[in-house]
């Protein structure tokens, strides 16, 4: 095995003086021993900072509307995140051992040029979520300024966003640029500071609501009756898909881990239990709003507004902070590295982040949400589940084909072990296609691109289990066709 620290020094010899090396830059090179100082507390804080967000708040409560009991909804959230924790930790083990980010790891299986495919696919879905979260943050900022008495106008008839809302969007967008410019260490500090504050705010909301509503009444609302009953498997697959994309690029963070134990323990503490607990906060808020105000509020801002101006003001600040911590870590770090992979000699981590932020502007989420509503979330969420094929290929290649051994130097040069056919591994591309294509018809139907009513049930069923199916099929084909070590 090539020692990772030694490899960093050796590969670093190609940078920045060797302009002929088009596969490396200072951000993509293996991290040095000095850079690997993140402890389990940092990883736990990172996850808490990402978990506490509006989509997690609504995760279990939205399932109540689909006929689930609150106990089953919270259990499925916990189970799904225990499932996704497995590839998260397994792929994350590459970080402390070799110090490479996700796009560089993908070169081992897809080829030094073929890695552009998973990198761009992962980067684009992150750009979509980045844009949407910026918009939600802008609305929270706009609402907070109005609580302060600024009387900013909302969109007029025929508009999807007002001038003041757009200015809030640009302001919130610009804050993200600061963190990308400062780099991953600034993101670690943001999460460490923000995580305790958001935990305290969540506990305070629960305490206030439970003082207003007796627990016996709060936890005994009957489950909604829906035709065909709750769809447990589809719900579990969707919940797994929520963080499945981050399972791919988790080495972007674990490459800074002090040890394997730190990344494993930190993620195990920071992901499944906080996800279940914060979704439970959503259940309590959802049920309490129905009891207190006669209408169940799925989103926290609706509940906070009904609780008064003080609660709304403080709550909107927390929502702003939650959107920022989730968005910077989950939706900007990945595309920063991913776009850098496409042209390392020209695109640094900073430049990749600026490109991602620019694409986020082009998404114009206020128009997307106005025209496609829930379909947009289905589309983006479904897009994430289809990337299970990439996870399957990465896991099989690293653990079963290469037995956890990588030639780090060859990850950064043409003509080495990962050159395959002109930089592309045809078998990885076939494996990806075999994992994704059978799920595509159901994906298009669920996202509203084609008529769902005329779609055979088999295709919808395949999409319902999309992440599991694509991971298993792609991983199996890749294993059968890969050259074993």
């Amino acid at each position: 095995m090539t020692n990772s620290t030694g490899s960093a020094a050796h590969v670093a010899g190609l940078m920045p003086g060797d302009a002929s090396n088009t596969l490396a830059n200072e951000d993509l090179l293996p991290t040095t021993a000095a850079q690997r100082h993140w402890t389990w507390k940092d990883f736990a804080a990172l996850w808490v900072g990402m978990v506490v967000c509006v989509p997690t708040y609504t995760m279990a409560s939205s399932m109540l509307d689909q006929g689930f009991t609150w106990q089953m909804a919270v259990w499925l959230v916990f189970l799904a995140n225990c499932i996704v924790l497995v590839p998260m930790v397994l792929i994350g083990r590459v970080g402390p051992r070799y110090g490479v980010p996700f796009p560089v790891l993908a070169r081992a299986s897809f080829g030094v040029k073929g890695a552009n495919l998973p990198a761009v696919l992962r980067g684009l879905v992150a750009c979509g979520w980045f844009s949407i979260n910026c918009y939600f943050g802008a609305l929270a900022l706009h609402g907070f300024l109005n609580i302060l008495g600024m009387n900013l106008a909302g969109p007029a008839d025929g508009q999807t966003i007002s001038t003041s809302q757009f200015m809030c969007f640009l302001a919130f967008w610009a804050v993200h640029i600061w963190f990308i410019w400062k780099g991953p260490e600034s993101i670690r500090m943001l999460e460490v500071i923000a995580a305790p504050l958001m935990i305290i705010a969540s506990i305070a909301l629960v305490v206030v609501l439970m003082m207003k509503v007796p627990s016996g009444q709060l936890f005994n609302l009957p489950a909604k009756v829906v035709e065909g009953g709750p769809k447990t498997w589809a719900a579990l697959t969707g919940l797994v898909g929520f963080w499945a994309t981050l399972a791919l690029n988790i080495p972007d963070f674990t490459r800074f881990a002090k040890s394997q134990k730190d990344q494993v323990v930190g993620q195990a503490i920071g992901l499944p239990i906080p996800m279940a607990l914060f979704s439970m906060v959503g259940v309590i808020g959802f049920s309490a709003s129905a009891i207190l105000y006669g209408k169940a509020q799925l989103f926290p801002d609706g509940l906070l507004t009904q609780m008064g101006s003080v609660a709304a003001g403080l709550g909107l600040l927390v929502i702003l902070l939650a959107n920022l911590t989730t968005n910077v870590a989950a939706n900007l770090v990945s595309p920063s590295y991913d776009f850098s992979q496409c042209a390392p000699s020209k695109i640094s981590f900073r430049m990749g982040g600026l490109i991602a932020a620019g694409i986020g502007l082009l998404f114009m989420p206020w128009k997307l949400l106005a025209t496609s509503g829930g379909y947009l979330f289905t589309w983006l969420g479904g897009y994430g589940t289809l990337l299970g094929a990439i996870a399957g290929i990465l896991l099989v290649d690293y653990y079963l084909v290469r037995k956890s051994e990588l030639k780090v130097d060859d990850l950064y040069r043409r003509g080495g072990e990962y050159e395959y056919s002109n930089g592309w591994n045809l078998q990885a591309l076939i494996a990806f296609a075999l994992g994704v294509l059978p799920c595509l018809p159901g994906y298009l139907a669920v996202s509203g691109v084609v008529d769902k009513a005329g779609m055979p049930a088999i295709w919808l069923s395949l999409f319902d289990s999309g992440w599991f199916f694509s991971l298993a099929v792609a991983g199996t084909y890749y294993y059968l066709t890969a050259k074993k070590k």
Side-chain angles (χ1 to χ4, degrees):
M1 182 188 77
T2 306
N3 179 271
S4 58
T5 303
S7 296
H10 175 75
V11 178
L14 300 175
M15 290 294 298
D18 185 1
S20 65
N21 183 9
T22 60
L23 294 176
N25 62 35
E26 292 180 357
D27 299 307
L28 293 179
L29 289 175
T31 49
T32 63
Q35 291 174 307
R36 302 182 193 186
H37 63 88
W38 289 30
T39 68
W40 70 267
K41 295 178 183 178
D42 294 313
F43 285 101
L46 173 74
W47 271 112
V48 171
M50 291 192 291
V51 161
V52 180
C53 60
V54 173
T56 305
Y57 177 95
T58 65
M59 188 170 284
S61 57
S62 62
M63 293 169 67
L64 302 184
D65 194 49
Q66 303 299 317
F68 290 92
T69 63
W70 71 264
Q71 296 97 326
M72 188 62 175
V74 174
W75 164 246
L76 284 176
V77 170
F78 176 73
L79 177 61
N81 285 277
C82 286
I83 292 172
V84 81
L85 178 66
V86 175
M88 196 83 68
V89 168
L90 289 176
I91 297 176
R93 288 180 62 84
V94 177
R97 183 166 185 178
Y98 293 106
V100 298
F102 157 66
V104 174
L105 169 63
R107 294 174 183 176
S109 51
F110 283 84
V112 291
K113 297 300 291 182
N116 289 347
L117 173 65
V120 169
L121 289 175
R122 174 65 185 97
L124 287 177
V125 74
C127 290
W129 281 118
F130 165 75
S131 180
I132 289 170
N133 275 306
C134 274
Y135 180 56
F136 283 155
L139 295 182
L141 177 59
H142 193 266
F144 178 75
L145 294 176
N146 277 334
I147 288 175
L148 295 180
M150 295 189 66
N151 295 319
L152 302 176
D157 291 341
Q159 288 184 321
T160 54
I161 188 171
S162 68
T163 301
S164 56
Q165 286 175 332
F166 181 68
M167 296 306 295
C168 288
F169 177 83
L170 291 180
F172 193 58
W173 177 87
V175 174
H176 294 76
I177 303 302
W178 187 88
F179 285 99
I180 283 298
W181 196 259
K182 290 295 182 180
E185 186 62 19
S186 68
I187 298 170
R188 181 187 72 86
M189 291 301 300
L190 170 67
E191 305 292 353
V192 168
I193 294 171
L197 296 177
M198 292 189 290
I199 291 173
I200 292 170
S202 300
I203 294 173
L205 176 61
V206 168
V207 169
V208 170
L209 291 176
M210 294 191 73
M211 289 175 62
K212 292 176 176 286
V213 183
S215 58
Q217 186 180 5
L218 192 63
F219 296 115
N220 284 296
L221 289 180
K224 183 178 179 180
V225 178
V226 297
E227 183 180 354
K231 297 177 175 60
T232 304
W233 186 253
L236 180 63
T237 304
L239 293 171
V240 169
F242 188 78
W243 288 121
T245 51
L246 201 70
L248 298 180
N249 72 286
I250 195 64
D252 295 347
F253 298 100
T254 60
R255 66 198 296 246
F256 298 102
K258 193 173 183 179
S259 68
Q260 289 289 1
K261 181 180 178 181
D262 285 301
Q263 73 96 3
V264 172
V265 172
Q267 293 201 83
I269 292 174
L271 180 56
I273 294 176
M275 281 292 292
L277 290 177
F278 195 62
S279 68
M280 188 66 203
V281 174
V283 168
I284 293 172
F286 183 84
S287 301
S289 60
I291 295 168
L292 292 173
Y293 308 113
K295 181 182 179 182
Q297 294 287 345
L298 185 61
F299 296 99
D301 54 335
L303 170 63
L304 292 166
T305 301
Q306 291 175 315
M307 293 174 67
S309 58
V310 174
L314 293 174
L316 288 172
L317 281 178
V318 173
I319 291 172
L320 270 172
L321 183 60
N323 269 333
L324 179 63
T325 56
T326 301
N327 221 19
V328 168
N331 299 321
L332 268 187
V333 170
S334 170
S336 295
Y337 284 120
D338 293 339
F339 295 138
S340 181
Q341 153 69 24
C342 296
S345 61
K346 298 181 175 64
I347 303 176
S348 64
F349 177 86
R350 284 179 176 176
M351 181 59 67
L354 293 176
I355 292 172
I359 293 174
L361 284 178
L362 296 177
F363 265 86
M364 293 188 288
W366 48 90
K367 288 190 176 182
L368 289 173
L369 290 170
T371 56
S372 54
Y375 286 127
L376 181 68
F377 291 100
T378 302
W379 182 78
L380 283 171
Y383 185 71
T385 66
L386 296 179
L387 297 186
I390 298 175
I393 294 168
L394 293 183
L395 288 169
V396 167
D397 181 76
Y398 183 69
Y399 285 100
L400 301 183
V401 174
R402 305 190 183 280
K403 311 298 184 184
S404 305
E405 303 291 335
L406 294 177
K407 293 183 178 179
V408 179
D409 295 0
D410 282 5
L411 291 171
Y412 295 90
R413 69 182 182 90
R414 300 300 303 267
E417 181 172 335
Y418 312 116
E419 176 68 18
Y420 297 104
S421 177
N422 197 30
W424 293 77
N425 183 1
L426 180 61
Q427 298 304 332
L429 298 180
I430 294 174
F432 176 75
L434 290 176
V436 168
L437 291 180
C439 301
L440 192 58
Y443 168 59
L444 295 175
V446 171
S447 59
V449 177
V450 300
D451 183 17
K452 184 177 180 180
M455 181 67 60
I458 181 63
W459 301 117
L460 297 174
S461 297
L462 279 177
F463 177 72
D464 284 345
S465 59
W467 186 82
F468 298 96
F469 176 88
S470 62
L471 183 146
V473 170
T476 300
Y477 177 86
Y478 187 83
Y479 178 76
L480 293 174
T481 58
K483 182 180 178 181
K484 312 300 188 296
K485 295 297 177 185

